[in-house]
Amino acid sequence: MRVVLAPTRFAGTLTAQEAAMAMARGWSVAAPHDDLVLAPMSDGGPGFLDVLGDALGGQTLAATIEDPTGRAVPAGVLLVDDDGTRTAYVEAAQACGPDLVGADHRDPAHTSSFGVGQLLLLALSTEPRRIVVGVAGSAVHDAGAGMLAALGAGERDVLGAGGLALQQATTGHLPGLTSVVHRFRAVELVLATSATLPLLGFQGASAVEAEGRGATREQAQALEAAFGQWVDVVTRVLPQPRDLLGGGARRIDKESGAGAAGGIGFALLLLGARRADGAQYVAQQIGLPALVAGADLVVTGEGTYDWRSLRDSAPSAVSELAMAAGVPAVALAGQVRVGRREAMTAGLSGAYAVCDRPEDVPGALADPVGTLEARAARVAATWSPSPEGTA
Protein backbone atom coordinates (compact mmCIF):
# COMPACT_ATOMS: atom_id res chain seq x y z
CA MET A 1 0.00 0.00 0.00
CA ARG A 2 0.95 3.62 -0.50
CA VAL A 3 0.31 5.47 2.76
CA VAL A 4 0.47 9.26 3.13
CA LEU A 5 1.33 10.40 6.66
CA ALA A 6 0.09 13.98 7.13
CA PRO A 7 -0.09 14.90 10.82
CA THR A 8 0.12 18.36 12.28
CA ARG A 9 2.07 19.10 15.45
CA PHE A 10 1.25 17.39 18.74
CA ALA A 11 1.13 20.59 20.80
CA GLY A 12 3.63 20.62 23.62
CA THR A 13 5.39 17.40 22.61
CA LEU A 14 6.11 16.87 18.90
CA THR A 15 6.49 19.02 15.81
CA ALA A 16 4.61 17.94 12.70
CA GLN A 17 7.84 16.55 11.25
CA GLU A 18 8.65 14.62 14.42
CA ALA A 19 5.12 13.19 14.52
CA ALA A 20 5.31 12.10 10.87
CA MET A 21 8.68 10.41 11.40
CA ALA A 22 7.47 8.64 14.55
CA MET A 23 4.41 7.38 12.69
CA ALA A 24 6.61 6.20 9.82
CA ARG A 25 8.97 4.26 12.10
CA GLY A 26 6.10 2.57 13.91
CA TRP A 27 4.25 1.81 10.68
CA SER A 28 7.35 0.28 9.10
CA VAL A 29 7.70 -2.16 12.00
CA ALA A 30 4.28 -3.69 11.34
CA ALA A 31 4.06 -3.07 7.58
CA PRO A 32 7.57 -2.89 6.08
CA HIS A 33 6.09 -3.63 2.66
CA ASP A 34 4.20 -0.29 2.53
CA ASP A 35 5.39 2.76 0.63
CA LEU A 36 5.25 5.70 3.08
CA VAL A 37 5.04 9.34 2.01
CA LEU A 38 5.62 11.92 4.74
CA ALA A 39 3.69 15.18 4.37
CA PRO A 40 3.73 17.13 7.67
CA MET A 41 0.93 19.69 7.93
CA SER A 42 0.19 23.03 9.59
CA ASP A 43 -2.86 25.23 10.03
CA GLY A 44 -0.81 28.44 10.11
CA GLY A 45 0.26 28.14 13.74
CA PRO A 46 3.56 27.04 15.31
CA GLY A 47 5.62 25.13 12.77
CA PHE A 48 4.10 26.95 9.76
CA LEU A 49 7.50 28.03 8.42
CA ASP A 50 9.16 24.68 9.06
CA VAL A 51 6.48 22.78 7.16
CA LEU A 52 6.58 25.14 4.19
CA GLY A 53 10.36 25.43 4.22
CA ASP A 54 10.79 21.65 4.06
CA ALA A 55 8.37 21.40 1.15
CA LEU A 56 9.22 24.54 -0.83
CA GLY A 57 12.84 25.24 0.04
CA GLY A 58 13.69 28.93 0.05
CA GLN A 59 15.75 31.10 2.38
CA THR A 60 15.06 32.01 5.98
CA LEU A 61 16.00 35.49 7.16
CA ALA A 62 16.80 35.39 10.86
CA ALA A 63 15.70 38.21 13.14
CA THR A 64 15.39 39.15 16.79
CA ILE A 65 11.96 40.48 17.70
CA GLU A 66 9.82 41.11 20.77
CA ASP A 67 7.65 38.46 22.35
CA PRO A 68 4.25 39.32 23.91
CA THR A 69 5.93 40.75 27.01
CA GLY A 70 8.64 42.71 25.19
CA ARG A 71 11.48 40.23 25.66
CA ALA A 72 13.86 39.61 22.75
CA VAL A 73 13.28 36.27 20.98
CA PRO A 74 14.65 34.73 17.77
CA ALA A 75 12.37 34.50 14.73
CA GLY A 76 12.52 34.51 10.96
CA VAL A 77 10.82 35.10 7.64
CA LEU A 78 10.81 32.44 4.92
CA LEU A 79 11.44 33.73 1.39
CA VAL A 80 10.48 31.57 -1.59
CA ASP A 81 11.15 32.70 -5.16
CA ASP A 82 9.13 31.00 -7.89
CA ASP A 83 9.43 32.13 -11.52
CA GLY A 84 10.40 35.61 -10.50
CA THR A 85 7.67 35.94 -7.89
CA ARG A 86 8.83 36.31 -4.32
CA THR A 87 6.61 35.18 -1.46
CA ALA A 88 7.48 36.02 2.12
CA TYR A 89 6.01 33.73 4.76
CA VAL A 90 5.49 34.99 8.32
CA GLU A 91 4.56 32.84 11.32
CA ALA A 92 2.76 35.06 13.81
CA ALA A 93 3.22 32.49 16.58
CA GLN A 94 6.96 33.22 16.57
CA ALA A 95 6.07 36.61 18.05
CA CYS A 96 2.86 35.92 19.97
CA GLY A 97 2.45 32.17 20.37
CA PRO A 98 1.39 30.67 23.71
CA ASP A 99 4.69 28.76 23.95
CA LEU A 100 6.44 32.11 24.51
CA VAL A 101 4.54 32.82 27.73
CA GLY A 102 4.22 30.34 30.57
CA ALA A 103 0.70 29.33 31.48
CA ASP A 104 1.06 30.96 34.91
CA HIS A 105 2.23 34.27 33.41
CA ARG A 106 -0.33 34.81 30.66
CA ASP A 107 -1.91 38.24 30.70
CA PRO A 108 -4.01 38.78 27.57
CA ALA A 109 -5.11 42.19 28.82
CA HIS A 110 -1.59 43.62 28.59
CA THR A 111 0.50 41.52 26.18
CA SER A 112 1.24 42.92 22.73
CA SER A 113 1.48 41.80 19.09
CA PHE A 114 4.31 44.30 18.42
CA GLY A 115 6.65 41.49 17.34
CA VAL A 116 4.29 40.43 14.54
CA GLY A 117 4.65 43.93 13.09
CA GLN A 118 8.43 43.61 13.30
CA LEU A 119 8.24 40.42 11.24
CA LEU A 120 6.03 42.14 8.67
CA LEU A 121 8.55 44.99 8.39
CA LEU A 122 11.29 42.45 7.71
CA ALA A 123 9.12 40.77 5.09
CA LEU A 124 8.38 44.11 3.41
CA SER A 125 12.08 44.97 3.26
CA THR A 126 12.65 42.05 0.86
CA GLU A 127 10.23 43.60 -1.71
CA PRO A 128 8.02 40.53 -2.08
CA ARG A 129 5.06 40.21 -4.42
CA ARG A 130 3.14 38.39 -1.73
CA ILE A 131 3.22 38.12 2.07
CA VAL A 132 1.46 35.18 3.69
CA VAL A 133 0.93 35.44 7.44
CA GLY A 134 0.14 32.19 9.25
CA VAL A 135 -2.11 33.02 12.19
CA ALA A 136 -3.12 30.37 14.71
CA GLY A 137 -2.45 30.12 18.41
CA SER A 138 -1.84 33.29 20.39
CA ALA A 139 -1.10 34.52 23.89
CA VAL A 140 -2.01 38.04 22.76
CA HIS A 141 -5.41 39.71 22.73
CA ASP A 142 -4.90 43.26 21.44
CA ALA A 143 -6.80 43.40 18.12
CA GLY A 144 -3.46 43.66 16.34
CA ALA A 145 -2.87 47.18 17.64
CA GLY A 146 0.68 46.37 18.72
CA MET A 147 1.41 45.04 15.25
CA LEU A 148 0.13 48.27 13.71
CA ALA A 149 2.33 50.30 16.10
CA ALA A 150 5.42 48.42 14.91
CA LEU A 151 4.46 49.19 11.32
CA GLY A 152 4.26 52.91 12.07
CA ALA A 153 0.53 53.47 12.54
CA GLY A 154 1.06 55.22 15.89
CA GLU A 155 3.02 55.34 19.09
CA ARG A 156 3.14 52.21 21.21
CA ASP A 157 2.26 53.88 24.52
CA VAL A 158 -1.38 52.96 23.86
CA LEU A 159 -1.26 50.73 20.78
CA GLY A 160 1.45 48.49 22.20
CA ALA A 161 0.21 48.27 25.78
CA GLY A 162 -2.28 45.42 25.32
CA GLY A 163 -5.97 45.07 24.66
CA LEU A 164 -7.27 46.90 27.72
CA ALA A 165 -5.30 50.06 26.83
CA LEU A 166 -7.38 50.38 23.66
CA GLN A 167 -10.24 51.80 25.71
CA GLN A 168 -8.10 54.95 25.85
CA ALA A 169 -7.53 55.08 22.09
CA THR A 170 -8.48 58.18 20.10
CA THR A 171 -8.01 59.13 16.48
CA GLY A 172 -4.91 61.06 17.55
CA HIS A 173 -3.19 57.77 18.36
CA LEU A 174 -3.27 56.68 14.70
CA PRO A 175 -1.48 59.40 12.69
CA GLY A 176 0.26 56.89 10.44
CA LEU A 177 -2.47 54.32 9.84
CA THR A 178 -3.42 55.58 6.39
CA SER A 179 0.23 55.55 5.27
CA VAL A 180 0.69 52.00 6.54
CA VAL A 181 -2.37 50.84 4.60
CA HIS A 182 -1.10 52.51 1.43
CA ARG A 183 2.26 50.81 1.84
CA PHE A 184 0.63 47.39 1.71
CA ARG A 185 -1.38 48.14 -1.43
CA ALA A 186 1.56 47.08 -3.58
CA VAL A 187 1.68 43.66 -1.90
CA GLU A 188 -0.73 40.75 -2.01
CA LEU A 189 -1.37 40.09 1.67
CA VAL A 190 -2.81 36.76 2.77
CA LEU A 191 -4.21 35.97 6.22
CA ALA A 192 -3.71 32.22 6.48
CA THR A 193 -5.87 31.05 9.36
CA SER A 194 -8.45 28.39 10.04
CA ALA A 195 -10.14 30.70 12.55
CA THR A 196 -13.50 32.08 11.44
CA LEU A 197 -14.30 34.23 14.49
CA PRO A 198 -15.38 37.84 14.00
CA LEU A 199 -13.75 40.42 16.26
CA LEU A 200 -16.79 41.50 18.29
CA GLY A 201 -20.00 40.00 19.62
CA PHE A 202 -21.15 36.85 21.38
CA GLN A 203 -19.24 34.75 18.84
CA GLY A 204 -16.27 37.12 18.75
CA ALA A 205 -12.70 36.91 19.95
CA SER A 206 -13.21 38.18 23.50
CA ALA A 207 -16.37 36.19 24.21
CA VAL A 208 -14.99 32.93 22.84
CA GLU A 209 -11.25 32.96 23.47
CA ALA A 210 -10.16 35.59 26.01
CA GLU A 211 -10.73 33.38 29.05
CA GLY A 212 -8.81 30.56 27.40
CA ARG A 213 -5.85 32.93 27.16
CA GLY A 214 -5.96 33.61 30.88
CA ALA A 215 -8.45 36.48 31.18
CA THR A 216 -11.03 36.54 33.94
CA ARG A 217 -14.66 36.85 32.92
CA GLU A 218 -14.60 40.51 33.93
CA GLN A 219 -11.44 41.10 31.86
CA ALA A 220 -13.03 39.41 28.85
CA GLN A 221 -15.97 41.81 29.08
CA ALA A 222 -13.61 44.77 29.46
CA LEU A 223 -11.60 43.61 26.44
CA GLU A 224 -14.80 43.42 24.40
CA ALA A 225 -15.60 47.02 25.32
CA ALA A 226 -12.05 48.12 24.54
CA PHE A 227 -12.20 46.41 21.15
CA GLY A 228 -15.48 48.17 20.42
CA GLN A 229 -13.82 51.51 21.18
CA TRP A 230 -10.87 50.55 18.97
CA VAL A 231 -13.09 49.65 16.02
CA ASP A 232 -14.90 52.97 16.35
CA VAL A 233 -11.60 54.88 16.34
CA VAL A 234 -10.15 52.92 13.43
CA THR A 235 -13.32 53.43 11.39
CA ARG A 236 -13.16 57.19 11.87
CA VAL A 237 -9.50 57.31 10.80
CA LEU A 238 -9.85 54.82 7.97
CA PRO A 239 -13.32 54.68 6.39
CA GLN A 240 -14.39 51.12 5.76
CA PRO A 241 -14.46 49.84 2.15
CA ARG A 242 -17.77 49.62 0.36
CA ASP A 243 -19.66 46.38 -0.10
CA LEU A 244 -19.90 46.00 -3.88
CA LEU A 245 -23.11 43.99 -3.62
CA GLY A 246 -25.04 45.83 -0.93
CA GLY A 247 -23.57 49.27 -1.44
CA GLY A 248 -23.03 49.89 2.28
CA ALA A 249 -19.82 49.98 4.25
CA ARG A 250 -18.13 46.64 4.91
CA ARG A 251 -17.72 45.85 8.58
CA ILE A 252 -14.22 44.41 8.70
CA ASP A 253 -14.65 43.57 12.38
CA LYS A 254 -17.48 41.22 11.41
CA GLU A 255 -15.59 39.42 8.68
CA SER A 256 -14.54 35.80 9.02
CA GLY A 257 -11.14 35.59 10.66
CA ALA A 258 -11.13 39.11 12.11
CA GLY A 259 -10.96 37.61 15.59
CA ALA A 260 -8.05 35.29 14.76
CA ALA A 261 -5.20 35.34 17.32
CA GLY A 262 -6.89 37.85 19.57
CA GLY A 263 -7.76 40.20 16.73
CA ILE A 264 -4.51 40.14 14.74
CA GLY A 265 -6.75 38.99 11.91
CA PHE A 266 -8.66 42.28 12.14
CA ALA A 267 -5.48 44.33 11.76
CA LEU A 268 -4.36 42.28 8.76
CA LEU A 269 -7.77 42.66 7.11
CA LEU A 270 -7.47 46.42 7.66
CA LEU A 271 -4.24 46.31 5.68
CA GLY A 272 -6.06 44.68 2.77
CA ALA A 273 -5.42 41.01 3.46
CA ARG A 274 -7.64 38.31 2.05
CA ARG A 275 -8.37 35.37 4.29
CA ALA A 276 -7.44 31.84 3.24
CA ASP A 277 -8.03 28.74 5.34
CA GLY A 278 -4.62 28.06 6.85
CA ALA A 279 -4.63 24.28 6.62
CA GLN A 280 -6.08 24.24 3.12
CA TYR A 281 -3.52 26.81 2.01
CA VAL A 282 -0.62 24.73 3.36
CA ALA A 283 -2.05 21.57 1.79
CA GLN A 284 -2.05 23.22 -1.63
CA GLN A 285 1.46 24.60 -1.24
CA ILE A 286 2.97 21.23 -0.28
CA GLY A 287 1.13 19.37 -3.05
CA LEU A 288 -0.98 17.30 -0.70
CA PRO A 289 -4.01 16.89 -3.04
CA ALA A 290 -1.89 15.01 -5.59
CA LEU A 291 -0.24 12.90 -2.89
CA VAL A 292 -3.63 11.95 -1.45
CA ALA A 293 -5.06 11.14 -4.88
CA GLY A 294 -2.26 8.62 -5.42
CA ALA A 295 -2.55 6.97 -2.01
CA ASP A 296 -4.32 3.88 -0.73
CA LEU A 297 -4.61 5.28 2.80
CA VAL A 298 -4.10 8.66 4.46
CA VAL A 299 -3.10 9.06 8.09
CA THR A 300 -3.40 12.40 9.87
CA GLY A 301 -3.15 13.31 13.52
CA GLU A 302 -2.56 15.82 16.31
CA GLY A 303 -2.16 15.95 20.06
CA THR A 304 -5.86 15.97 20.94
CA TYR A 305 -8.52 15.11 18.41
CA ASP A 306 -11.68 16.78 19.74
CA TRP A 307 -14.72 18.71 18.50
CA ARG A 308 -12.49 21.55 17.30
CA SER A 309 -10.69 19.10 15.04
CA LEU A 310 -13.86 18.25 13.15
CA ARG A 311 -13.70 21.47 11.14
CA ASP A 312 -11.27 24.30 10.42
CA SER A 313 -8.18 22.29 11.38
CA ALA A 314 -5.27 20.55 9.70
CA PRO A 315 -6.75 17.05 10.28
CA SER A 316 -10.10 18.17 8.84
CA ALA A 317 -8.37 19.60 5.75
CA VAL A 318 -6.56 16.29 5.26
CA SER A 319 -9.71 14.20 5.70
CA GLU A 320 -11.63 16.45 3.29
CA LEU A 321 -8.99 15.88 0.62
CA ALA A 322 -9.19 12.13 1.24
CA MET A 323 -12.98 12.14 0.94
CA ALA A 324 -12.79 14.07 -2.32
CA ALA A 325 -10.31 11.52 -3.70
CA GLY A 326 -12.24 8.50 -2.41
CA VAL A 327 -9.31 7.41 -0.24
CA PRO A 328 -9.84 6.17 3.34
CA ALA A 329 -8.34 8.30 6.09
CA VAL A 330 -7.63 7.66 9.75
CA ALA A 331 -6.31 9.81 12.58
CA LEU A 332 -3.74 9.03 15.27
CA ALA A 333 -3.87 11.36 18.24
CA GLY A 334 -2.57 11.56 21.77
CA GLN A 335 -6.18 11.59 22.92
CA VAL A 336 -9.46 11.19 21.03
CA ARG A 337 -12.42 13.05 22.54
CA VAL A 338 -15.06 12.53 19.88
CA GLY A 339 -17.15 9.49 19.15
CA ARG A 340 -16.95 7.19 16.17
CA ARG A 341 -20.00 8.79 14.56
CA GLU A 342 -18.50 12.30 14.77
CA ALA A 343 -15.19 11.07 13.35
CA MET A 344 -16.95 9.37 10.46
CA THR A 345 -18.93 12.55 9.74
CA ALA A 346 -15.57 14.34 9.44
CA GLY A 347 -14.47 11.84 6.81
CA LEU A 348 -12.41 9.49 8.98
CA SER A 349 -12.66 5.73 8.87
CA GLY A 350 -11.12 5.56 12.32
CA ALA A 351 -9.62 7.69 15.08
CA TYR A 352 -7.04 5.99 17.28
CA ALA A 353 -5.72 7.32 20.60
CA VAL A 354 -2.23 6.84 21.94
CA CYS A 355 -3.79 7.16 25.40
CA ASP A 356 -6.95 5.10 25.76
CA ARG A 357 -7.26 5.97 29.45
CA PRO A 358 -6.53 9.18 31.38
CA GLU A 359 -3.95 7.37 33.50
CA ASP A 360 -1.95 6.67 30.30
CA VAL A 361 -1.36 10.37 29.63
CA PRO A 362 1.70 10.90 31.90
CA GLY A 363 3.50 7.99 30.26
CA ALA A 364 2.76 9.31 26.77
CA LEU A 365 4.00 12.77 27.70
CA ALA A 366 7.18 11.25 29.09
CA ASP A 367 7.83 9.34 25.84
CA PRO A 368 5.76 10.94 23.06
CA VAL A 369 7.86 9.46 20.25
CA GLY A 370 7.89 5.90 21.56
CA THR A 371 4.19 5.78 22.40
CA LEU A 372 3.19 7.25 19.03
CA GLU A 373 5.43 4.75 17.24
CA ALA A 374 3.80 1.90 19.14
CA ARG A 375 0.29 3.09 18.33
CA ALA A 376 1.18 3.57 14.65
CA ALA A 377 2.46 -0.01 14.53
CA ARG A 378 -0.82 -1.33 15.94
CA VAL A 379 -2.86 0.71 13.46
CA ALA A 380 -0.67 -0.50 10.59
CA ALA A 381 -1.29 -4.10 11.59
CA THR A 382 -5.02 -3.42 11.27
CA TRP A 383 -4.99 -1.48 8.02
CA SER A 384 -2.08 -3.07 6.18
CA PRO A 385 -1.98 -6.84 6.65
CA SER A 386 1.07 -8.65 5.35
CA PRO A 387 0.99 -9.44 1.62
CA GLU A 388 -0.19 -12.91 0.76
CA GLY A 389 2.55 -15.43 1.20
CA THR A 390 4.61 -13.45 3.71
CA ALA A 391 4.84 -13.72 7.45
Side-chain angles (χ1 to χ4, degrees):
M1 289 207 316
R2 186 174 179 84
V3 182
V4 172
L5 303 175
T8 189
R9 74 183 188 118
F10 282 49
T13 56
L14 300 174
T15 67
Q17 292 88 341
E18 290 169 342
M21 289 187 289
M23 288 179 179
R25 286 191 294 268
W27 198 279
S28 295
V29 169
H33 46 276
D34 283 348
D35 177 19
L36 305 180
V37 179
L38 278 60
M41 273 287 290
S42 170
D43 62 356
F48 180 64
L49 294 195
D50 290 337
V51 167
L52 290 173
D54 286 350
L56 304 178
Q59 171 192 5
T60 299
L61 294 184
T64 299
I65 61 170
E66 294 186 17
D67 78 353
T69 64
R71 296 174 302 182
V73 292
V77 171
L78 175 66
L79 303 178
V80 178
D81 293 314
D82 184 14
D83 293 332
T85 298
R86 168 166 290 179
T87 300
Y89 293 97
V90 171
E91 182 182 309
Q94 291 188 341
C96 67
D99 294 343
L100 296 173
V101 183
D104 54 344
H105 290 93
R106 290 180 186 168
D107 184 4
H110 299 99
T111 46
S112 172
S113 60
F114 192 86
V116 180
Q118 292 176 304
L119 286 174
L120 282 173
L121 283 176
L122 178 59
L124 276 175
S125 72
T126 69
E127 299 183 350
R129 174 66 184 84
R130 181 186 303 110
I131 298 176
V132 181
V133 187
V135 177
S138 175
V140 169
H141 201 86
D142 71 346
M147 183 194 87
L148 293 175
L151 292 171
E155 296 299 323
R156 63 185 301 182
D157 57 340
V158 170
L159 304 191
L164 276 186
L166 298 180
Q167 60 192 342
Q168 305 167 23
T170 67
T171 55
H173 289 112
L174 289 170
L177 179 58
T178 300
S179 296
V180 171
V181 172
H182 280 294
R183 188 176 182 186
F184 276 88
R185 285 185 176 173
V187 181
E188 179 189 353
L189 187 60
V190 180
L191 164 62
T193 182
S194 298
T196 57
L197 292 172
L199 183 66
L200 301 173
F202 291 116
Q203 298 300 318
S206 297
V208 175
E209 294 189 337
E211 291 185 48
R213 295 193 174 101
T216 64
R217 182 168 299 180
E218 292 74 19
Q219 283 179 320
Q221 293 171 349
L223 285 165
E224 174 76 4
F227 280 13
Q229 166 72 8
W230 176 242
V231 169
D232 180 64
V233 168
V234 168
T235 302
R236 282 186 278 140
V237 174
L238 190 72
Q240 304 295 282
R242 309 301 295 179
D243 185 333
L244 297 180
L245 294 177
R250 276 174 50 204
R251 287 288 302 273
I252 291 179
D253 59 287
K254 293 183 176 294
E255 293 193 4
S256 178
I264 290 174
F266 172 71
L268 289 168
L269 292 171
L270 278 179
L271 298 180
R274 66 174 177 86
R275 178 187 172 273
D277 181 277
Q280 293 178 10
Y281 185 92
V282 171
Q284 292 296 325
Q285 295 305 304
I286 68 174
L288 189 58
L291 295 178
V292 169
D296 298 298
L297 177 69
V298 177
V299 182
T300 187
E302 62 180 336
T304 300
Y305 190 84
D306 57 18
W307 63 270
R308 289 168 294 190
S309 308
L310 300 176
R311 57 187 300 272
D312 302 327
S313 70
S316 69
V318 174
S319 61
E320 286 171 9
L321 286 174
M323 278 197 297
V327 177
V330 299
L332 273 66
Q335 298 180 74
V336 175
R337 294 179 176 172
V338 298
R340 177 180 174 83
R341 179 177 299 177
E342 289 82 4
M344 291 181 65
T345 301
L348 294 177
S349 298
Y352 303 93
V354 170
C355 304
D356 291 318
R357 302 170 301 172
E359 53 266 34
D360 297 334
V361 173
L365 292 175
D367 183 17
V369 172
T371 51
L372 181 56
E373 287 180 2
R375 188 50 160 151
R378 295 198 299 273
V379 173
T382 299
W383 280 89
S384 183
S386 299
E388 189 174 338
T390 66

